[in-house]
Amino acid sequence: MLKIKKAEFVTSVGSNGIYPQKNLAEIAMVGRSNVGKSSLINSLCNMNKLAKTSQKPGKTRLINFFLINGEFHLVDLPGYGFANAPKSEKEKWGELMESYLSSGRVSHIYMLIDIRHEPTLDDKQMFKYILYYAIPYTLIATKADKLARSKRRSAANACAKALGAPPYAIAYSTETGDGREELLERLEAIVYRDNSLDEESGG
């Protein structure tokens, strides 16, 4: 299983679209505001303050790159579906995210959905984007500790099915670490497959 020994913030990217040089795998985190993307990054890396978290939705407004083990990037994207944001702000976020998703840079997407609720219309729209751009993905049902342990797997799979995906999602809790090992194993497979392909192609 992958062991994360070093994690560091690299840069934030806004509408200028100046990304880091693309020579490593990029695993992007997407999900609605306050679903727990930043908390998931912190949990995976065992660093409480690596990615900034907030109780207020809409905190992440830029695309934030984190370098992990010097080998790949985790990328924290702005949350969508934040009702109180001005329309102009929502449009900027939408353009920023679509520009990144369509860039061909994304190796894999971790799409986060709240295990306690049906996927929203915004969730379904994001999933359509992922399919449209043919980006490999893993569904993660967050806040799993809010449900009884016996109900977590079935609830996670039901969320995936309601989204329109095959009925499987990893139930994850940043509070207890449940699901972390499975996600790290998935991450290891993604990263080393992607980086080996880059080396073979001279990338």
Side-chain angles (χ1 to χ4, degrees):
M1 183 178 69
L2 175 70
K3 293 188 182 300
I4 295 180
K5 300 176 181 178
K6 185 178 181 182
E8 56 189 318
F9 171 75
V10 177
T11 189
S12 294
V13 178
S15 56
N16 57 20
I18 302 174
Y19 301 110
Q21 183 177 353
K22 176 66 171 95
N23 56 359
L24 298 173
E26 291 182 16
I27 295 86
M29 305 277 181
V30 300
R32 66 176 182 79
S33 294
N34 224 25
V35 75
K37 296 183 301 302
S38 300
S39 295
L40 180 63
I41 289 173
N42 291 341
S43 172
L44 279 176
C45 299
N46 270 331
M47 294 177 66
N48 290 335
K49 296 182 179 180
L50 178 64
K52 293 180 181 178
T53 61
S54 174
Q55 294 301 313
K56 295 181 179 179
K59 180 72 173 177
T60 303
R61 301 190 177 199
L62 300 170
I63 299 175
N64 295 316
F65 285 75
F66 301 90
L67 180 63
I68 310 300
N69 290 350
E71 296 177 318
F72 64 95
H73 287 114
L74 288 178
V75 187
D76 191 7
L77 272 67
Y80 51 78
F82 180 35
N84 293 331
K87 184 179 179 183
S88 60
E89 196 74 19
K90 289 181 184 178
E91 289 174 353
K92 285 180 184 176
W93 295 349
E95 290 170 4
L96 185 65
M97 291 178 69
E98 185 165 2
S99 174
Y100 178 66
L101 294 177
S102 64
S103 67
R105 300 176 58 93
V106 190
S107 308
H108 197 94
I109 283 183
Y110 281 168
M111 181 173 177
L112 280 59
I113 46 181
D114 191 323
I115 198 169
R116 303 169 298 174
H117 306 298
E118 283 267 323
T120 65
L121 290 175
D122 289 315
D123 286 326
K124 292 177 180 179
Q125 183 63 50
M126 174 53 66
F127 187 59
K128 287 179 181 178
Y129 273 130
I130 293 170
L131 296 180
Y132 179 78
Y133 291 116
I135 304 171
Y137 67 89
T138 298
L139 297 179
I140 303 168
T142 61
K143 307 181 190 289
D145 53 283
K146 304 297 184 184
L147 299 182
R149 189 176 295 275
S150 60
K151 296 181 179 179
R152 293 174 189 174
R153 183 166 294 279
S154 61
N157 295 347
C159 283
K161 185 176 181 180
L163 188 66
Y168 179 74
I170 296 173
Y172 198 101
S173 168
T174 58
E175 295 295 322
T176 66
D178 285 5
R180 184 174 183 270
E181 287 192 7
E182 184 177 359
L183 204 53
L184 284 170
E185 288 173 359
R186 181 70 59 95
L187 191 58
E188 182 176 47
I190 294 163
V191 168
Y192 294 116
R193 182 200 65 220
D194 190 88
N195 283 349
S196 65
L197 290 175
D198 280 348
E199 289 170 6
E200 289 169 10
S201 65

